[in-house]
Amino acid sequence: MSDFVTVARTEDIPPGTGKTVEVNGIWIALFNLNGSFFAVDNACPHAGGPIGEGKLSGEIVTCPWHGWQFNVRTGERDGNPNFTVACCPVRVQDNQVQIAIPPDFHPF
């Protein structure tokens, strides 16, 4: 497992919102679901759209380019789990949101 990297403070990402962050040269979409944080690859597998700029509704984020939707907890495409975005472990320590990039992480 890779080391955790601090990417934000908890107050930087209010519940129900997301933010794009960089971890070791990889762009990650980070979301706050009622105080729990989840991280997925920022690039949509459809056309590389910026998932972190999408609208979050519950656990589902909608890619702003073509409307593909993904569950931020699992990375699965809503309605078609054959398409996924890679997920990263997230932890919070002392209001610092930290992400680790797994060794087998395959961004789009």
Side-chain angles (χ1 to χ4, degrees):
M1 176 62 70
S2 298
D3 293 330
F4 280 87
V5 176
T6 298
V7 295
R9 296 178 316 217
T10 54
E11 59 267 20
D12 295 338
I13 308 167
T17 68
K19 178 178 182 170
T20 303
V21 297
E22 184 267 331
V23 180
N24 300 330
I26 299 172
W27 290 102
I28 301 294
L30 177 63
F31 298 96
N32 180 341
L33 296 180
N34 300 317
S36 295
F37 291 84
F38 298 91
V40 299
D41 182 10
N42 188 53
C44 178
H46 173 239
I51 292 175
E53 295 176 18
K55 181 179 178 189
L56 187 63
S57 179
E59 297 180 357
I60 304 298
V61 62
T62 301
C63 178
W65 283 9
H66 299 106
W68 280 34
Q69 297 181 315
F70 298 91
N71 185 306
V72 299
R73 288 182 185 268
T74 66
E76 292 181 351
R77 181 171 180 212
D78 193 37
N80 186 349
N82 293 323
F83 288 95
T84 62
V85 288
C87 297
C88 299
V90 180
R91 71 182 183 192
V92 176
Q93 292 189 329
D94 299 323
N95 282 351
Q96 301 295 307
V97 182
Q98 301 175 335
I99 297 175
I101 303 294
D104 61 346
F105 185 83
H106 297 289
F108 173 72

